[in-house]
């Protein structure tokens, strides 16, 4: 799949979904993909950025991902950043760190999730909870500063 095809697939898969602030979910996907590109990521990582929440959100199935015309590296990154039910954050972080290329995608995801402008529209309790959650994950991944 080309990056344009991956983008179109991700946008279609997340049609009608919104983020916690009520914005179209595709805006988050675009921001993560752009963040990966700006951080020097390659096309496989950018493709994974577009798809980073697709399996986790049940927008696309793991079976779809398995059969998709994507590199094994892109598929591995998507699966690495896909949270699993009941999984401790430490195990999630370890899987990301063990998967080549996944850390950059997760770093971009966390950067957009923790954007003060995005968090500012949330209620204080949610904003505080998410700020702590994202800071903890950054620490587990060694993304300090």
């Amino acid at each position: 799949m080309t990056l344009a095809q991956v983008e179109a697939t991700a946008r279609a898969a997340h049609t009608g979904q919104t983020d916690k602030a009520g914005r179209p979910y595709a805006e988050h996907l675009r921001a993560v993909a752009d963040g990966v590109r700006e951080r020097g990521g390659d096309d496989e990582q950018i493709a994974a950025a577009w798809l980073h929440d697709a399996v986790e959100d049940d927008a696309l199935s793991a079976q779809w991902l398995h059969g998709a015309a994507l590199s094994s590296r892109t598929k591995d990154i998507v699966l690495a950043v896909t949270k699993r039910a009941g999984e401790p954050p430490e195990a999630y972080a370890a899987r990301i760190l063990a998967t080549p290329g996944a850390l950059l995608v997760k770093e971009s995801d966390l950067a957009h999730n923790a954007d003060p402008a995005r968090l500012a529209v949330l209620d204080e309790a949610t904003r505080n909870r998410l700020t702590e959650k994202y800071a903890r994950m950054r620490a587990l991944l060694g993304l300090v500063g």
Side-chain angles (χ1 to χ4, degrees):
M1 296 176 75
T2 66
L3 278 178
Q5 291 169 321
V6 171
E7 177 182 348
T9 299
R11 286 179 178 278
H14 289 278
T15 297
Q17 290 182 345
T18 57
D19 66 11
K20 291 173 180 65
R23 302 292 308 160
Y25 205 78
E27 290 179 9
H28 172 64
L29 302 177
R30 163 63 72 192
V32 175
D34 287 348
V36 167
R37 183 177 290 109
E38 291 163 6
R39 288 170 173 82
D42 58 33
D43 284 356
E44 290 175 321
Q45 290 170 302
I46 295 166
W50 275 108
L51 298 169
H52 79 277
D53 281 333
V55 175
E56 182 177 317
D57 292 349
D58 292 323
L60 294 169
S61 69
Q63 183 177 353
W64 175 88
L65 182 65
H66 178 74
L70 297 164
S71 72
S72 59
R73 181 168 172 252
T74 294
K75 293 174 187 182
D76 289 346
I77 293 170
V78 172
L79 293 174
V81 300
T82 298
K83 292 179 198 148
R84 299 173 185 165
E87 180 177 38
E90 296 81 4
Y92 177 56
R95 185 173 63 252
I96 291 167
L97 291 171
T99 305
L103 181 60
L104 188 67
V105 174
K106 188 61 185 175
E107 179 182 15
S108 181
D109 179 39
L110 287 168
H112 189 247
N113 283 340
D115 181 337
R118 286 186 82 209
L119 292 172
V121 302
L122 303 175
D123 64 82
E124 184 177 1
T126 301
R127 184 171 54 248
N128 290 340
R129 178 181 60 80
L130 292 176
T131 298
E132 289 175 19
K133 174 184 169 183
Y134 302 145
R136 179 163 186 243
M137 184 54 59
R138 286 185 58 79
L140 288 170
L141 293 170
L143 299 171
V144 292

